[in-house]
Amino acid sequence: MPPSPDDTTSVYKPQRVSDSVLEVREVTKRFGGNVAVDALSLSVSRGVVAGLIGPNGAGKSTLFDLLAGVQTPTKGRIMLDALSIERTPAYRRARLGLGRTFQVARPFPALSVVENVMLGRHDQSGEAILPNWFTPRKVHRQERETLGKAMDLLRFVSLDRLATQPARVLSGGQRKLLEIARVMMGDPRVLLLDEPAAGVNPSLLDIIMDRIATINARGVTVFLIEHNMDLVTRLCSHVFVMAQGRLLCEGAPDTIARDPRVIEAYLGSAAA
Amino acid sequence: MLDLLGYAAFFGTTALTYAIMCLGLNVQWGQTGLFNVGIAGFAAIGAYTSAILTTPPTQAHLGGFALPIVAGLIGAAAAAGLASLLVGALTLRLRSDYLAITTFGVAVVVQLTCLNVQGVTGGPFGIGFIPRPFGGFADRPGAFAALQFLGMVVLTVALFLALERLAQSPWGRVLRAIREDETAAAALGKNATAYRLQAFALGGAVIGLGGALQAHAIGFIAPDNYLPALTFQIWTMLIIGGSGNNAGAIIGAVLIWGLWSGSGAALTAIFPPELQARAASLQVVAIGIILCAILVLRPRGLFGERTAVSRHVDGLETNPSTALAEQDSAPRAL
């Protein structure tokens, strides 16, 4: 049931996508009297790079928190493939293949860059106490393997030369790259990127965009919040626009940019 | 001369029992950031458990069950570990301030229980005749003290190696990650609550083991041994030695116990008998001043924490100067 482009009814009907990897169904999040996300539904198709844009206060970050499990919705369901995950704790969602990065990058500052990345792996036997004492060889073997993969990922984001440095020495943009390497260590199916371009200098921005495209080309679905429209236009095949906790519209980036409702939401009714 | 050596051995044995408690606190605080202000309570649980299990049968308290010392020590670690697990599970999220209040309260409850539940703990009379290791040598005091000390050294080294292996393992890495940023660790699939509980229980078991070893080293325990002052001592030892560093925990313990005993001996020598009870508080003052000095001069303690965690990550070429020089420029394109 695709919406006609000149659909002018006030309540927006989301598009139904047959093969959705991540689906939000009628999700509401209230903070006291404030409704941050209001009965919102959307569906991210498998294998795409989808963008989420909207003016400040639209509820984008809250929606991401709900998806990642930092918050639980007041109402509604969130589906990862066929699994309903809205009550699943954040750590388990990560293990289910839902990776995320943060708006302000959160490396572990005292840990070395490479160990930041190594932490991203899920099935490490050495992360339990007893194997370290009773099957140390297995732990060691696995740890060397993890190290190898972590170094590959650091080369992928061009941070391999800083591998042994504590993560606190990294610049803002490098931290964003580190987070991408770290989350990729867990082989996610879906990657939530919260403003990957925020606070990144222009020379790093190209690298970040290129790496996101490469990750997507390897089969990972990417869903990102971004204010940088250049990035959204170049990377995303599908864009969702949020305003006041609701989905305003969705579609290809160039149609979205021309949509009067979007212009109105960003600039106020006078501009429309 | 033999007396002096005997005293040195006894001093060393006692110091190492503190060192073991300090290692336990290091797992909790140094590695995981869990603010346990109830060390004395967990040490008491260990000490009383082992004492009850190993003393000969008596009317004065529960048991004794006259079990071997090893069984007592295992029981002590298990009891203190379980108690920690329980306390940890009740304060489920183990947030710093709540955990501090809870553990302090638990320690007070444990101490008052020891004091008042006379049928189990002997009440204010404590528990005596706790078997001492290598008791067969009791008629040769020099050898007896030396063997006890050697036994403690072996145990401390074994425990140090076991904990050091954990600290440098993927497990230790997760603990540090959770300590630095729980939300980010959860985003990487780490169950922070489960890890905190593991660290708290393991640390608690080690503290209980230290308490039990101390009971066996001295041969007598009483509720007065487990006042908050003990907690304060262990904390001072860890902060001065270097929080997050197992070797620092041991050295800090030996150092502070040396200062504590040394200042005690000095006060006895300096002050006339009628003033000594009051002069004893100068010991606490001295330790407090040293603590302040360390916090000002070396806030990370004598031995700080290392950056790299995993012992499996070696052979990476490290060249800080070139790496740092490049940190502000854009990384190379592929």
Side-chain angles (χ1 to χ4, degrees):
Chain A
M1 193 183 80
S4 58
D6 51 358
D7 181 2
T8 48
T9 50
S10 60
V11 178
Y12 175 75
K13 293 274 190 290
Q15 296 176 15
R16 287 259 169 247
V17 185
S18 54
D19 187 22
S20 73
V21 64
L22 187 65
E23 196 181 341
V24 176
R25 291 184 189 163
E26 298 280 314
V27 162
T28 297
K29 179 65 182 178
R30 286 178 215 279
F31 297 103
N34 178 26
V35 185
V37 175
D38 190 2
L40 183 139
S41 299
L42 63 77
S43 174
V44 178
S45 319
R46 192 181 312 280
V48 301
V49 179
L52 178 62
I53 65 170
N56 288 323
K60 304 184 298 293
S61 288
T62 305
L63 179 64
F64 255 44
D65 280 351
L66 294 171
L67 291 175
V70 178
Q71 315 250 12
T72 36
T74 316
K75 266 195 302 207
R77 306 188 79 180
I78 298 169
M79 310 295 291
L80 178 66
D81 280 321
L83 218 60
S84 163
I85 58 164
E86 68 276 355
R87 306 278 155 205
T88 309
Y91 78 88
R92 211 171 283 152
R93 292 189 203 191
R95 290 181 162 255
L96 288 172
L98 187 62
R100 63 114 19 129
T101 66
F102 295 90
Q103 187 175 352
V104 177
R106 301 173 81 146
F108 305 107
L111 286 168
S112 66
V113 168
V114 68
E115 293 211 75
N116 261 274
V117 180
M118 291 171 80
L119 269 162
R121 182 170 171 179
H122 293 315
D123 58 338
Q124 304 188 48
S125 65
E127 285 188 354
I129 295 178
L130 296 182
N132 288 295
W133 290 333
F134 298 116
T135 53
R137 282 205 191 140
K138 183 182 171 199
V139 172
H140 183 73
R141 238 187 354 258
Q142 207 184 50
E143 187 75 344
R144 296 303 295 185
E145 205 182 286
T146 312
L147 176 65
K149 188 175 171 194
M151 287 307 294
D152 285 347
L153 281 165
L154 282 177
R155 273 186 285 276
F156 173 63
V157 296
S158 311
L159 288 177
D160 49 310
R161 291 198 165 190
L162 296 168
T164 55
Q165 294 294 306
R168 65 172 164 272
V169 308
L170 300 184
S171 71
Q174 290 174 328
R175 287 173 190 214
K176 292 259 175 191
L177 284 165
L178 173 62
E179 274 205 335
I180 289 174
R182 195 169 69 175
V183 72
M184 287 310 293
M185 191 79 202
D187 293 322
R189 279 184 278 173
V190 180
L191 194 52
L192 304 173
L193 301 175
D194 196 346
E195 298 197 24
V200 174
N201 77 46
S203 61
L204 277 188
L205 187 60
D206 282 340
I207 296 177
I208 288 183
M209 288 211 274
D210 175 73
R211 298 309 182 269
I212 294 172
T214 310
I215 288 168
N216 177 245
R218 289 179 190 169
V220 180
T221 306
V222 179
F223 189 27
L224 56 87
I225 296 182
E226 191 47 70
H227 287 296
N228 182 329
M229 281 311 288
D230 179 39
L231 182 147
V232 171
T233 322
R234 280 167 60 187
L235 277 181
C236 302
S237 57
H238 197 84
V239 178
F240 300 93
V241 186
M242 258 184 98
Q244 295 170 339
R246 294 166 186 237
L247 197 60
L248 195 64
C249 60
E250 66 181 287
D254 46 344
T255 35
I256 288 295
R258 288 195 304 271
D259 193 308
R261 289 169 298 181
V262 177
I263 297 165
E264 184 184 327
Y266 269 95
L267 301 174
S269 51
Chain B
M1 187 61 195
L2 213 61
D3 266 9
L4 202 64
L5 281 178
Y7 178 76
F10 179 69
F11 163 83
T13 307
T14 316
L16 290 182
T17 61
Y18 284 109
I20 286 174
M21 290 187 236
C22 215
L23 283 173
L25 179 62
N26 193 35
V27 175
Q28 296 179 336
W29 169 252
Q31 284 182 253
T32 326
L34 298 171
F35 197 29
N36 180 358
V37 206
I39 299 162
F42 298 101
I45 290 172
Y48 274 93
T49 304
S50 196
I52 288 168
L53 288 176
T54 57
T55 44
T58 169
Q59 299 296 317
H61 57 82
L62 179 68
F65 298 98
L67 293 173
I69 293 175
V70 176
L73 295 178
I74 292 170
L82 279 176
S84 305
L85 202 59
L86 192 70
V87 172
L90 288 175
T91 51
L92 197 64
R93 306 278 293 162
L94 294 172
R95 297 271 171 213
S96 54
D97 30 10
Y98 300 111
L99 182 66
I101 295 163
T102 311
T103 48
F104 189 81
V106 167
V108 171
V109 169
V110 169
Q111 202 263 339
L112 289 176
T113 306
C114 295
L115 188 61
N116 291 293
V117 187
Q118 198 161 342
V120 177
T121 64
F125 307 109
I127 297 180
F129 305 108
I130 301 170
R132 305 177 68 187
F134 308 105
F137 294 85
D139 51 336
R140 288 156 59 197
F144 184 41
L147 276 173
Q148 285 207 333
F149 177 61
L150 281 178
M152 270 308 292
V153 170
V154 169
L155 230 145
T156 310
V157 168
L159 202 58
F160 167 80
L161 291 176
L163 293 178
E164 191 63 12
R165 168 161 288 186
L166 273 188
Q168 297 177 29
S169 74
W171 186 77
R173 184 164 62 212
V174 176
L175 290 191
R176 280 180 56 167
I178 289 168
R179 191 188 65 188
E180 291 193 0
D181 190 335
E182 182 180 337
T183 309
L188 297 177
K190 314 304 175 199
N191 182 353
T193 309
Y195 276 101
R196 283 215 194 83
L197 272 178
Q198 288 174 23
F200 196 64
L202 177 66
V206 174
I207 292 171
L209 178 67
L213 285 165
Q214 200 165 69
H216 288 287
I218 296 166
F220 170 74
I221 53 172
D224 275 4
N225 301 1
Y226 306 104
L227 291 168
L230 175 62
T231 300
F232 168 76
Q233 276 178 327
I234 305 290
W235 267 101
T236 311
M237 289 165 176
L238 183 63
I239 290 168
I240 288 180
S243 189
N245 186 312
N246 283 322
I250 294 175
I251 293 166
V254 174
L255 216 63
I256 291 301
W257 184 241
L259 281 167
W260 185 265
S261 330
S263 60
L267 290 174
T268 315
I270 296 167
F271 288 95
E274 64 271 21
L275 284 178
Q276 268 175 20
R278 274 192 275 172
S281 47
L282 284 175
Q283 271 182 295
V284 183
V285 175
I287 298 291
I289 289 171
I290 290 165
L291 183 60
C292 292
I294 284 282
L295 286 176
V296 171
L297 301 172
R298 278 186 83 93
R300 283 154 54 86
L302 297 175
F303 303 86
E305 195 171 15
R306 282 181 305 264
T307 302
V309 180
S310 175
R311 66 200 182 91
H312 310 283
V313 182
D314 44 23
L316 276 185
E317 115 268 4
T318 335
N319 195 339
S321 54
T322 55
L324 276 172
E326 271 180 54
Q327 77 176 46
D328 289 324
S329 59
R332 297 164 300 148
L334 282 186

